[in-house]
Structure formats: structure tokens, C-alpha cells
Coordinates of all heavy atoms in Angstrom, one line a residue:
M1 N 4.4 -3.3 12.2 CA 3.6 -4.4 12.6 C 3.8 -5.6 11.6 O 3.9 -6.7 12.0 CB 2.1 -4.0 12.7 CG 1.2 -5.1 13.1 SD -0.5 -4.6 13.2 CE -0.9 -4.2 11.6
I2 N 3.7 -5.2 10.3 CA 3.9 -6.2 9.3 C 5.3 -6.9 9.3 O 5.4 -8.1 9.2 CB 3.6 -5.6 7.9 CG1 2.1 -5.2 7.8 CG2 3.9 -6.6 6.8 CD1 1.1 -6.3 7.9
R3 N 6.3 -6.0 9.6 CA 7.7 -6.6 9.7 C 7.8 -7.5 10.8 O 8.4 -8.6 10.7 CB 8.7 -5.4 9.8 CG 10.1 -5.9 9.9 CD 11.1 -4.8 10.2 NE 11.3 -4.0 9.0 CZ 11.0 -2.7 9.0 NH1 10.6 -2.1 10.1 NH2 11.2 -2.0 7.9
Q4 N 7.2 -7.1 12.0 CA 7.3 -8.0 13.2 C 6.6 -9.3 12.9 O 7.0 -10.4 13.3 CB 6.6 -7.3 14.4 CG 6.6 -8.1 15.6 CD 6.0 -7.3 16.8 OE1 5.9 -6.1 16.7 NE2 5.6 -8.0 17.8
T5 N 5.4 -9.3 12.2 CA 4.7 -10.5 12.0 C 5.2 -11.4 10.9 O 5.3 -12.6 11.1 CB 3.2 -10.1 11.6 OG1 2.7 -9.2 12.6 CG2 2.3 -11.3 11.5
Y6 N 5.7 -10.8 9.8 CA 6.1 -11.6 8.7 C 7.5 -11.4 8.2 O 7.9 -11.9 7.2 CB 5.2 -11.2 7.5 CG 3.7 -11.5 7.7 CD1 2.8 -10.5 7.8 CD2 3.3 -12.9 7.8 CE1 1.5 -10.8 8.1 CE2 1.9 -13.1 8.1 CZ 1.0 -12.1 8.2 OH -0.3 -12.4 8.4
G7 N 8.3 -10.5 8.8 CA 9.6 -10.1 8.3 C 10.5 -11.2 8.0 O 11.2 -11.2 6.9
A8 N 10.6 -12.2 8.8 CA 11.5 -13.3 8.5 C 11.1 -14.1 7.2 O 12.0 -14.4 6.4 CB 11.6 -14.3 9.7
K9 N 9.8 -14.4 7.1 CA 9.4 -15.1 5.9 C 9.5 -14.2 4.7 O 9.9 -14.6 3.6 CB 7.9 -15.4 6.0 CG 7.6 -16.5 7.1 CD 6.1 -16.8 7.1 CE 5.9 -18.0 8.1 NZ 4.4 -18.3 8.2
D10 N 9.2 -12.9 4.8 CA 9.3 -11.9 3.7 C 10.7 -11.8 3.1 O 10.9 -11.7 1.9 CB 8.8 -10.6 4.1 CG 7.3 -10.5 4.4 OD1 6.6 -11.5 4.0 OD2 6.9 -9.6 5.1
A11 N 11.7 -11.9 4.0 CA 13.1 -11.7 3.6 C 13.5 -12.9 2.6 O 14.2 -12.7 1.7 CB 14.0 -11.7 4.8
H12 N 12.9 -14.1 2.8 CA 13.2 -15.2 2.0 C 12.6 -15.1 0.6 O 13.1 -15.6 -0.4 CB 12.8 -16.5 2.7 CG 13.7 -16.9 3.8 ND1 15.0 -17.2 3.7 CD2 13.4 -16.9 5.2 CE1 15.5 -17.5 4.9 NE2 14.5 -17.3 5.8
R13 N 11.4 -14.5 0.6 CA 10.6 -14.4 -0.7 C 11.3 -13.4 -1.7 O 11.3 -13.7 -2.9 CB 9.2 -14.0 -0.4 CG 8.3 -14.0 -1.7 CD 6.9 -13.5 -1.4 NE 6.3 -14.0 -0.2 CZ 6.3 -13.3 1.0 NH1 6.8 -12.1 1.0 NH2 5.8 -13.8 2.0
G14 N 11.8 -12.3 -1.2 CA 12.5 -11.4 -2.0 C 11.6 -10.4 -2.7 O 10.3 -10.5 -2.5
V15 N 12.2 -9.4 -3.4 CA 11.4 -8.3 -4.0 C 10.4 -8.8 -5.1 O 9.3 -8.5 -5.1 CB 12.3 -7.2 -4.6 CG1 11.5 -6.2 -5.3 CG2 13.1 -6.6 -3.4
D16 N 11.0 -9.6 -6.0 CA 10.1 -10.0 -7.2 C 8.9 -10.8 -6.7 O 7.8 -10.6 -7.2 CB 11.0 -10.9 -8.1 CG 12.0 -10.0 -8.9 OD1 12.0 -8.8 -8.7 OD2 12.8 -10.6 -9.6
G17 N 9.1 -11.8 -5.8 CA 8.0 -12.6 -5.4 C 7.0 -11.8 -4.6 O 5.8 -11.9 -4.7
T18 N 7.5 -10.9 -3.8 CA 6.6 -10.0 -3.0 C 5.8 -9.1 -3.9 O 4.6 -8.8 -3.6 CB 7.4 -9.2 -1.9 OG1 8.1 -10.2 -1.1 CG2 6.6 -8.3 -1.1
F19 N 6.5 -8.5 -4.9 CA 5.8 -7.6 -5.8 C 4.6 -8.4 -6.5 O 3.5 -7.8 -6.7 CB 6.7 -7.1 -6.9 CG 6.1 -6.0 -7.8 CD1 5.9 -4.8 -7.3 CD2 5.7 -6.4 -9.0 CE1 5.3 -3.8 -8.1 CE2 5.1 -5.5 -9.9 CZ 4.9 -4.2 -9.4
M20 N 4.8 -9.6 -6.9 CA 3.8 -10.4 -7.5 C 2.6 -10.6 -6.6 O 1.4 -10.5 -7.0 CB 4.3 -11.8 -8.0 CG 5.3 -11.6 -9.1 SD 4.7 -10.8 -10.6 CE 3.7 -12.1 -11.3
W21 N 2.9 -10.9 -5.3 CA 1.8 -11.0 -4.4 C 1.0 -9.7 -4.2 O -0.2 -9.7 -4.1 CB 2.3 -11.5 -3.0 CG 2.5 -13.0 -3.0 CD1 3.7 -13.7 -3.0 CD2 1.4 -14.0 -2.9 NE1 3.4 -15.0 -2.9 CE2 2.1 -15.2 -2.9 CE3 0.1 -13.9 -2.9 CZ2 1.4 -16.4 -2.9 CZ3 -0.7 -15.1 -2.9 CH2 0.0 -16.4 -2.8
F22 N 1.8 -8.6 -4.1 CA 1.2 -7.3 -4.0 C 0.2 -7.0 -5.2 O -0.9 -6.6 -5.0 CB 2.3 -6.2 -3.9 CG 1.8 -4.8 -4.0 CD1 1.0 -4.3 -3.1 CD2 2.1 -4.0 -5.1 CE1 0.5 -2.9 -3.2 CE2 1.6 -2.7 -5.3 CZ 0.8 -2.2 -4.3
M23 N 0.7 -7.3 -6.4 CA -0.1 -7.0 -7.6 C -1.3 -8.0 -7.6 O -2.4 -7.5 -8.0 CB 0.7 -7.2 -8.8 CG 1.8 -6.1 -9.0 SD 1.1 -4.4 -8.9 CE 0.0 -4.4 -10.3
Q24 N -1.2 -9.2 -7.1 CA -2.4 -10.1 -7.1 C -3.4 -9.5 -6.1 O -4.6 -9.5 -6.4 CB -2.0 -11.5 -6.6 CG -3.2 -12.4 -6.4 CD -2.8 -13.8 -6.1 OE1 -1.9 -14.3 -6.7 NE2 -3.5 -14.5 -5.3
E25 N -3.0 -8.9 -5.0 CA -3.9 -8.3 -4.1 C -4.6 -7.1 -4.7 O -5.7 -6.8 -4.4 CB -3.2 -8.0 -2.7 CG -2.8 -9.2 -2.0 CD -4.0 -10.1 -1.6 OE1 -5.1 -9.7 -1.6 OE2 -3.7 -11.3 -1.3
V26 N -3.8 -6.3 -5.5 CA -4.4 -5.1 -6.1 C -5.5 -5.6 -7.1 O -6.6 -5.0 -7.2 CB -3.3 -4.3 -6.9 CG1 -4.0 -3.3 -7.8 CG2 -2.4 -3.7 -5.9
G27 N -5.3 -6.7 -7.8 CA -6.3 -7.3 -8.6 C -7.5 -7.7 -7.9 O -8.7 -7.5 -8.3
E28 N -7.3 -8.3 -6.7 CA -8.4 -8.7 -5.9 C -9.2 -7.5 -5.4 O -10.5 -7.5 -5.3 CB -8.0 -9.6 -4.7 CG -7.5 -10.9 -5.2 CD -6.9 -11.8 -4.1 OE1 -7.0 -11.5 -2.9 OE2 -6.2 -12.8 -4.5
L29 N -8.5 -6.4 -5.1 CA -9.2 -5.2 -4.7 C -10.0 -4.6 -5.8 O -11.2 -4.2 -5.6 CB -8.2 -4.1 -4.2 CG -8.8 -2.8 -3.9 CD1 -9.8 -2.8 -2.8 CD2 -7.6 -1.8 -3.5
A30 N -9.5 -4.7 -7.0 CA -10.3 -4.2 -8.2 C -11.5 -5.0 -8.3 O -12.6 -4.4 -8.6 CB -9.4 -4.4 -9.5
T31 N -11.5 -6.3 -8.2 CA -12.7 -7.2 -8.2 C -13.7 -6.8 -7.1 O -14.9 -6.6 -7.4 CB -12.3 -8.6 -8.1 OG1 -11.4 -9.0 -9.2 CG2 -13.5 -9.5 -8.1
A32 N -13.2 -6.6 -5.9 CA -14.0 -6.2 -4.8 C -14.7 -4.9 -5.0 O -15.9 -4.6 -4.7 CB -13.3 -6.2 -3.5
L33 N -14.0 -3.9 -5.6 CA -14.5 -2.6 -5.9 C -15.6 -2.7 -6.9 O -16.6 -1.9 -6.9 CB -13.4 -1.6 -6.4 CG -12.4 -1.2 -5.4 CD1 -11.3 -0.4 -6.0 CD2 -13.1 -0.3 -4.3
R34 N -15.6 -3.6 -7.8 CA -16.6 -3.7 -8.9 C -17.8 -4.5 -8.4 O -18.8 -4.5 -9.1 CB -16.0 -4.4 -10.1 CG -15.0 -3.5 -10.8 CD -14.5 -4.1 -12.1 NE -13.6 -3.2 -12.8 CZ -14.0 -2.6 -13.9 NH1 -15.1 -2.9 -14.5 NH2 -13.2 -1.7 -14.5
G35 N -17.8 -5.2 -7.3 CA -19.0 -6.0 -7.0 C -19.0 -6.6 -5.6 O -19.9 -7.3 -5.3
G36 N -18.0 -6.4 -4.9 CA -17.9 -7.0 -3.6 C -18.7 -6.3 -2.5 O -19.2 -5.1 -2.7
S37 N -18.9 -6.9 -1.4 CA -19.6 -6.3 -0.3 C -18.7 -5.3 0.4 O -17.5 -5.3 0.1 CB -20.1 -7.4 0.7 OG -18.9 -8.0 1.3
A38 N -19.2 -4.5 1.3 CA -18.4 -3.6 2.1 C -17.4 -4.4 2.8 O -16.2 -3.9 2.9 CB -19.3 -2.8 3.0
A39 N -17.7 -5.5 3.4 CA -16.7 -6.3 4.2 C -15.6 -6.8 3.2 O -14.5 -6.8 3.6 CB -17.4 -7.5 4.9
E40 N -16.0 -7.3 2.0 CA -15.0 -7.8 1.1 C -14.1 -6.7 0.6 O -12.9 -6.9 0.5 CB -15.7 -8.4 -0.1 CG -16.4 -9.7 0.2 CD -17.3 -10.2 -0.9 OE1 -17.8 -9.4 -1.7 OE2 -17.6 -11.4 -0.9
R41 N -14.6 -5.5 0.4 CA -13.7 -4.3 0.0 C -12.8 -4.0 1.2 O -11.6 -3.8 0.9 CB -14.6 -3.1 -0.3 CG -15.3 -3.3 -1.7 CD -15.9 -2.0 -2.2 NE -16.9 -1.4 -1.3 CZ -18.2 -1.7 -1.4 NH1 -18.6 -2.6 -2.3 NH2 -19.1 -1.2 -0.5
A42 N -13.3 -4.0 2.4 CA -12.4 -3.7 3.5 C -11.3 -4.7 3.7 O -10.1 -4.3 3.9 CB -13.2 -3.6 4.8
H43 N -11.7 -6.0 3.5 CA -10.7 -7.0 3.5 C -9.6 -6.8 2.5 O -8.4 -7.0 2.8 CB -11.4 -8.4 3.3 CG -10.5 -9.6 3.2 ND1 -10.3 -10.4 4.3 CD2 -9.9 -10.1 2.2 CE1 -9.4 -11.3 3.9 NE2 -9.2 -11.2 2.7
E44 N -10.0 -6.5 1.3 CA -9.0 -6.3 0.2 C -8.1 -5.1 0.4 O -6.9 -5.1 0.1 CB -9.7 -6.4 -1.2 CG -10.3 -7.7 -1.5 CD -9.4 -8.9 -1.4 OE1 -8.2 -8.7 -1.6 OE2 -9.9 -10.0 -1.3
F45 N -8.7 -4.0 0.9 CA -7.9 -2.8 1.2 C -6.8 -3.2 2.2 O -5.7 -2.8 2.1 CB -8.8 -1.7 1.8 CG -9.3 -0.8 0.7 CD1 -10.7 -0.8 0.4 CD2 -8.5 0.1 0.0 CE1 -11.2 0.0 -0.6 CE2 -9.0 0.9 -1.0 CZ -10.4 0.9 -1.3
A46 N -7.2 -4.0 3.2 CA -6.3 -4.4 4.3 C -5.1 -5.2 3.7 O -4.0 -5.0 4.0 CB -7.0 -5.1 5.4
D47 N -5.5 -6.1 2.8 CA -4.5 -7.0 2.1 C -3.5 -6.1 1.3 O -2.3 -6.4 1.3 CB -5.2 -8.0 1.3 CG -5.7 -9.2 2.1 OD1 -5.4 -9.3 3.3 OD2 -6.5 -10.0 1.5
V48 N -4.1 -5.2 0.5 CA -3.2 -4.4 -0.3 C -2.2 -3.6 0.5 O -1.0 -3.5 0.2 CB -4.0 -3.4 -1.3 CG1 -3.1 -2.4 -1.9 CG2 -4.7 -4.3 -2.3
L49 N -2.7 -3.0 1.6 CA -1.9 -2.2 2.5 C -0.8 -3.1 3.1 O 0.4 -2.7 3.2 CB -2.7 -1.5 3.5 CG -1.9 -0.5 4.4 CD1 -1.2 0.6 3.6 CD2 -2.8 0.1 5.5
A50 N -1.2 -4.3 3.6 CA -0.2 -5.2 4.2 C 0.8 -5.6 3.2 O 2.0 -5.6 3.6 CB -1.0 -6.4 4.7
W51 N 0.5 -5.9 2.0 CA 1.5 -6.3 1.0 C 2.3 -5.2 0.5 O 3.5 -5.3 0.2 CB 0.8 -7.0 -0.2 CG 0.5 -8.5 0.1 CD1 -0.6 -9.0 0.5 CD2 1.5 -9.5 0.2 NE1 -0.5 -10.4 0.8 CE2 0.8 -10.7 0.6 CE3 2.9 -9.6 0.0 CZ2 1.5 -11.9 0.8 CZ3 3.5 -10.8 0.2 CH2 2.9 -11.9 0.6
L52 N 1.8 -3.9 0.5 CA 2.6 -2.8 0.2 C 3.6 -2.6 1.3 O 4.8 -2.3 1.0 CB 1.7 -1.5 0.1 CG 2.5 -0.2 -0.2 CD1 3.2 -0.3 -1.6 CD2 1.5 1.0 -0.2
A53 N 3.2 -2.7 2.6 CA 4.2 -2.6 3.7 C 5.2 -3.7 3.6 O 6.4 -3.4 3.9 CB 3.4 -2.7 5.0
T54 N 4.8 -4.9 3.2 CA 5.7 -6.0 3.1 C 6.8 -5.7 2.0 O 8.0 -5.9 2.2 CB 5.0 -7.3 2.7 OG1 4.2 -7.7 3.8 CG2 6.0 -8.4 2.4
L55 N 6.3 -5.2 0.9 CA 7.2 -4.8 -0.2 C 8.2 -3.7 0.2 O 9.4 -3.8 -0.1 CB 6.4 -4.3 -1.4 CG 7.1 -4.1 -2.7 CD1 7.9 -5.3 -3.2 CD2 6.2 -3.6 -3.8
A56 N 7.7 -2.8 0.9 CA 8.6 -1.7 1.5 C 9.6 -2.3 2.4 O 10.8 -2.0 2.3 CB 7.8 -0.6 2.2
N57 N 9.2 -3.2 3.3 CA 10.1 -3.8 4.2 C 11.2 -4.6 3.5 O 12.4 -4.5 3.8 CB 9.4 -4.8 5.2 CG 8.5 -4.1 6.1 OD1 8.7 -2.9 6.4 ND2 7.5 -4.8 6.7
V58 N 10.8 -5.4 2.5 CA 11.8 -6.2 1.7 C 12.8 -5.3 1.0 O 14.0 -5.6 0.9 CB 11.1 -7.1 0.7 CG1 12.0 -7.8 -0.2 CG2 10.2 -8.2 1.5
C59 N 12.3 -4.1 0.6 CA 13.2 -3.1 -0.1 C 14.0 -2.2 0.9 O 14.7 -1.3 0.5 CB 12.4 -2.3 -1.0 SG 11.7 -3.2 -2.4
G60 N 13.8 -2.4 2.2 CA 14.5 -1.6 3.2 C 13.9 -0.2 3.3 O 14.6 0.7 3.8
V61 N 12.7 0.0 3.0 CA 12.0 1.3 3.1 C 11.1 1.2 4.3 O 10.2 0.3 4.4 CB 11.2 1.6 1.8 CG1 10.4 2.9 2.1 CG2 12.2 1.8 0.7
N62 N 11.2 2.2 5.2 CA 10.2 2.3 6.3 C 9.0 3.1 5.8 O 9.1 4.3 5.6 CB 10.9 3.0 7.5 CG 9.9 3.1 8.7 OD1 8.8 3.4 8.6 ND2 10.5 2.8 9.9
L63 N 8.0 2.4 5.5 CA 6.8 3.0 4.8 C 6.2 4.1 5.7 O 5.8 5.1 5.1 CB 5.8 1.9 4.5 CG 4.6 2.3 3.6 CD1 5.0 3.0 2.3 CD2 3.6 1.1 3.4
E64 N 6.1 3.8 6.9 CA 5.5 4.8 7.8 C 6.3 6.1 7.8 O 5.7 7.2 7.6 CB 5.4 4.3 9.3 CG 4.7 5.3 10.2 CD 4.6 4.7 11.6 OE1 4.8 3.5 11.8 OE2 4.2 5.5 12.5
D65 N 7.6 6.0 7.9 CA 8.5 7.2 7.8 C 8.4 7.9 6.5 O 8.3 9.1 6.4 CB 9.9 6.8 8.1 CG 10.2 6.5 9.6 OD1 9.3 6.7 10.4 OD2 11.3 6.0 9.9
A66 N 8.3 7.1 5.4 CA 8.3 7.6 4.0 C 7.0 8.4 3.8 O 7.0 9.5 3.3 CB 8.4 6.5 3.0
V67 N 5.9 7.9 4.3 CA 4.6 8.6 4.1 C 4.5 9.8 5.0 O 4.1 10.9 4.5 CB 3.4 7.6 4.4 CG1 2.1 8.4 4.5 CG2 3.3 6.5 3.4
R68 N 5.0 9.7 6.2 CA 5.0 10.9 7.1 C 5.9 12.0 6.5 O 5.6 13.1 6.5 CB 5.5 10.4 8.5 CG 5.3 11.5 9.5 CD 5.8 11.0 10.9 NE 5.4 9.7 11.3 CZ 4.2 9.3 11.9 NH1 3.4 10.2 12.1 NH2 4.0 8.1 12.2
H69 N 7.1 11.6 6.0 CA 8.0 12.6 5.4 C 7.4 13.3 4.2 O 7.5 14.5 4.1 CB 9.3 11.9 5.0 CG 10.3 12.8 4.3 ND1 11.1 13.7 5.0 CD2 10.6 12.9 3.0 CE1 11.8 14.4 4.2 NE2 11.6 13.9 3.0
K70 N 6.7 12.5 3.3 CA 6.2 13.1 2.1 C 4.9 13.8 2.3 O 4.6 14.9 1.8 CB 6.0 12.1 1.0 CG 5.5 12.7 -0.3 CD 5.8 11.8 -1.5 CE 5.4 12.6 -2.8 NZ 5.6 11.7 -3.9
Y71 N 4.0 13.3 3.2 CA 2.6 13.8 3.3 C 2.3 14.4 4.7 O 1.2 15.0 4.9 CB 1.6 12.8 2.9 CG 1.7 12.3 1.5 CD1 2.3 11.2 1.1 CD2 1.1 13.1 0.5 CE1 2.5 10.8 -0.2 CE2 1.2 12.7 -0.8 CZ 1.9 11.5 -1.2 OH 2.0 11.2 -2.5
G72 N 3.2 14.2 5.6 CA 2.9 14.7 7.0 C 2.7 16.2 7.1 O 2.1 16.6 8.1
G73 N 3.3 16.9 6.2 CA 3.2 18.4 6.3 C 2.1 18.9 5.4 O 2.1 20.1 5.1
G74 N 1.2 18.1 4.9 CA 0.2 18.5 4.0 C 0.6 18.0 2.5 O 1.4 17.2 2.4
C75 N -0.1 18.6 1.6 CA 0.1 18.2 0.2 C 1.5 18.5 -0.2 O 2.0 19.7 0.0 CB -0.9 19.0 -0.7 SG -0.6 18.8 -2.5
P76 N 2.2 17.6 -0.8 CA 3.6 17.9 -1.3 C 3.6 18.9 -2.4 O 4.6 19.6 -2.5 CB 4.1 16.5 -1.9 CG 3.2 15.5 -1.3 CD 1.9 16.2 -1.0
G77 N 2.5 19.1 -3.1 CA 2.5 20.1 -4.2 C 2.3 21.5 -3.7 O 3.0 22.5 -4.1
C78 N 1.3 21.7 -2.8 CA 1.0 23.1 -2.4 C 1.3 23.3 -0.9 O 1.2 24.5 -0.4 CB -0.5 23.4 -2.7 SG -1.6 22.4 -1.7
G79 N 1.5 22.3 -0.2 CA 1.8 22.4 1.3 C 0.6 22.6 2.2 O 0.8 22.8 3.4
A80 N -0.6 22.6 1.6 CA -1.8 22.8 2.4 C -2.5 21.5 2.7 O -2.3 20.5 2.0 CB -2.7 23.7 1.6
S81 N -3.3 21.5 3.7 CA -4.2 20.4 4.1 C -5.5 21.0 4.6 O -5.5 21.6 5.7 CB -3.5 19.5 5.2 OG -4.4 18.4 5.5
P82 N -6.6 20.9 3.8 CA -6.7 20.1 2.6 C -5.9 20.8 1.4 O -5.7 22.0 1.5 CB -8.2 20.1 2.3 CG -8.8 21.2 3.0 CD -7.9 21.5 4.2
C83 N -5.6 20.0 0.4 CA -4.9 20.4 -0.7 C -5.6 21.5 -1.5 O -6.8 21.5 -1.6 CB -4.7 19.2 -1.6 SG -4.1 19.6 -3.3
R84 N -4.8 22.5 -2.0 CA -5.4 23.6 -2.7 C -4.9 23.6 -4.2 O -5.0 24.6 -4.9 CB -5.1 24.9 -2.1 CG -5.8 25.1 -0.7 CD -5.7 26.6 -0.2 NE -4.3 27.0 -0.1 CZ -3.7 27.1 1.1 NH1 -4.4 26.9 2.2 NH2 -2.5 27.5 1.2
C85 N -4.3 22.5 -4.6 CA -3.8 22.4 -6.0 C -4.9 22.5 -7.0 O -6.0 22.1 -6.6 CB -3.0 21.1 -6.2 SG -1.5 20.9 -5.3
D86 N -4.6 23.0 -8.1 CA -5.6 23.0 -9.2 C -6.1 21.6 -9.6 O -5.3 20.8 -9.9 CB -5.0 23.7 -10.4 CG -6.0 23.9 -11.5 OD1 -7.1 23.4 -11.5 OD2 -5.7 24.7 -12.5
Q87 N -7.4 21.4 -9.5 CA -7.9 20.0 -9.8 C -7.6 19.5 -11.2 O -7.4 18.3 -11.4 CB -9.5 20.1 -9.6 CG -10.1 18.7 -9.8 CD -9.9 17.8 -8.6 OE1 -9.6 18.2 -7.5 NE2 -10.0 16.5 -8.8
S88 N -7.3 20.4 -12.1 CA -7.0 20.0 -13.5 C -5.7 19.3 -13.6 O -5.4 18.6 -14.5 CB -7.0 21.2 -14.5 OG -6.0 22.1 -14.1
E89 N -4.8 19.5 -12.5 CA -3.5 18.8 -12.6 C -3.6 17.3 -12.4 O -2.9 16.5 -12.9 CB -2.6 19.4 -11.5 CG -2.2 20.8 -11.7 CD -1.4 21.4 -10.6 OE1 -0.8 20.6 -9.8 OE2 -1.4 22.6 -10.4
K90 N -4.6 16.9 -11.5 CA -4.9 15.4 -11.3 C -6.4 15.2 -11.2 O -6.9 15.1 -10.2 CB -4.2 15.0 -10.0 CG -2.7 14.9 -10.1 CD -2.1 14.4 -8.8 CE -0.6 14.4 -8.9 NZ 0.1 14.0 -7.7
P91 N -7.0 15.2 -12.4 CA -8.5 15.0 -12.4 C -8.9 13.7 -11.9 O -8.2 12.8 -11.8 CB -8.8 15.1 -13.9 CG -7.6 14.9 -14.7 CD -6.4 15.2 -13.7
Ligands
ZN1 ZN1 -1.9 20.4 -3.2

């Protein structure tokens, strides 16, 4: 969806410029998490996901396929869903 909507513009911006926009949106999400309303947090989550998808598109990565490949069968560590990995590994 992001590629269809913005793909032509994104190709001109390139990886470096797109990464900077992605990081700016991560910063805005951090701000929203610290004091924003529920609507503001939802807005920033959407922006971060959209810019992550844009970055993947610019890099030639199909984000949907990548996530499905890595996490579609459950936790990559233990293979279960929900994950049964030891919590101490990633507190
Ligand atoms: Zn696991």
C-alpha cells in the first residue's frame, strides 16, 4: 500500500533521506509515548510503520514477506506462539 501510494516519490529520496525521515518519526513517537493522547500515539505509530515500509521499499525489501517469513511460524527463537523463550534473554 505504501509503495503504491508513495513509491515513485520514495525512489527519488533514496535510502539516506528516507532513513532520516523514519528516525524523525521514531522521535515523534517517543514524544507521544511520554505525554501524548491516545489519538496522538496512534497517529505516530502509523507514521513509524509507514516510514519503515517506505525504507524497506527503497531498499528493495518486501516488508510484509520479510515479517511473515521471520515471524509467521511463531517465535524465531523457540518456534512457539505465544513465545516460550526464557524471559531473562530479553527482559
Ligand atoms: Zn520464543
Side-chain angles (χ1 to χ4, degrees):
M1 179 179 67
I2 295 295
R3 180 183 291 120
Q4 181 179 339
T5 305
Y6 299 111
K9 291 180 178 179
D10 292 340
H12 290 292
R13 186 183 317 99
V15 174
D16 290 355
T18 300
F19 185 78
M20 293 301 286
W21 278 108
F22 169 67
M23 292 307 295
Q24 177 171 319
E25 292 300 339
V26 171
E28 291 176 12
L29 175 59
T31 300
L33 289 172
R34 288 182 177 252
S37 68
E40 288 166 337
R41 287 191 298 271
H43 175 94
E44 295 304 337
F45 272 109
D47 282 348
V48 168
L49 186 60
W51 278 103
L52 180 63
T54 294
L55 187 58
N57 289 339
V58 171
C59 292
V61 171
N62 183 315
L63 186 58
E64 183 177 350
D65 288 349
V67 171
R68 194 180 313 274
H69 177 76
K70 183 160 186 181
Y71 296 99
C75 170
C78 66
S81 182
C83 169
R84 292 191 300 256
C85 293
D86 186 345
Q87 184 71 22
S88 65
E89 294 175 22
K90 290 184 181 175

